[in-house]
Each structure stands twice: as C-alpha cells, then as structure tokens.
Amino acid sequence: MQPIWLQIAARIGVDAFLELWRTLDQCEELPRADNGMVFVKMRSYKSWIRAERDRYITALDQAGNTPAEIQRALRSNMRTELTIDHIKRVVKAHRPR
C-alpha cells in the first residue's frame, strides 16, 4: 500500500479508511487494471476550493451583491482576499451569455 493511504488511515481512522476503501472497491464506474487495482482520479483540493469560491461569488452576484460586497463576504466567510477586478472577472466568466 502506498504511504499516502497509510497517512490517510492514520488521519481519519482505520474504520473510516476501510469504509472508504470498501466503497471505492464496490464502485463499478471506477477504472480498474487487469489485476483488480482500482484507479481513483481526484481533482486537486486547491482547484476544488477555487471552484467553490467562484460558485460562491456567482451566487452572491446573482443575489444582487456589488463586487465590494462580494469582496467583504469572501473576506468574512471564506477568509479569502480577492481584488475587485478579480471578482469582476469571475462574475463575467460565469454569467450566462
């Protein structure tokens, strides 16, 4: 077993790790090697956090918040600092055309 899996088991507990392993093993959608190995592809955590942040910005924009209000909400609720220009770019990229 790869060391990262042992680190995960130590962090979340052996029972939780075994349940995770069992669930992954039972998933028919995951690709497998000829020897039965299960391949798990995961987006990076940093990328997921960024996508969640952008969804939050989009929701705040759709609710009628100004970029400055969105900036304050990000600072307060996500402890994230973005410039007004960056917020505007995110809003523009996610607005329906």
Side-chain angles (χ1 to χ4, degrees):
M1 184 175 289
Q2 294 176 346
I4 187 62
W5 292 114
L6 297 175
Q7 290 173 14
I8 292 169
R11 186 161 189 170
I12 68 174
V14 174
D15 291 339
F17 176 75
L18 291 173
E19 183 60 31
L20 169 69
W21 191 358
R22 187 178 306 112
T23 302
L24 292 171
D25 188 51
Q26 292 171 350
C27 181
E28 298 296 325
E29 292 87 37
L30 290 176
R32 294 174 187 272
D34 291 339
N35 63 0
M37 296 280 290
V38 177
F39 295 105
V40 178
K41 289 171 56 174
M42 291 180 75
R43 166 185 219 166
S44 75
Y45 184 76
K46 187 176 179 179
S47 170
W48 178 76
I49 288 293
R50 189 171 47 249
E52 288 299 305
R53 179 205 67 201
D54 289 355
R55 278 192 277 281
Y56 183 53
I57 290 170
T58 301
L60 291 172
D61 174 67
Q62 290 172 348
N65 290 278
T66 67
E69 291 168 332
I70 294 171
Q71 185 182 49
R72 283 192 294 277
L74 287 169
R75 188 178 299 126
S76 173
N77 299 326
M78 295 188 85
R79 301 194 195 313
T80 300
E81 288 291 333
L82 291 182
T83 65
I84 297 291
D85 286 339
H86 192 129
I87 292 167
K88 288 178 181 178
R89 283 193 301 274
V90 170
V91 166
K92 183 178 179 183
H94 290 88
R95 275 204 177 133
R97 294 168 206 239

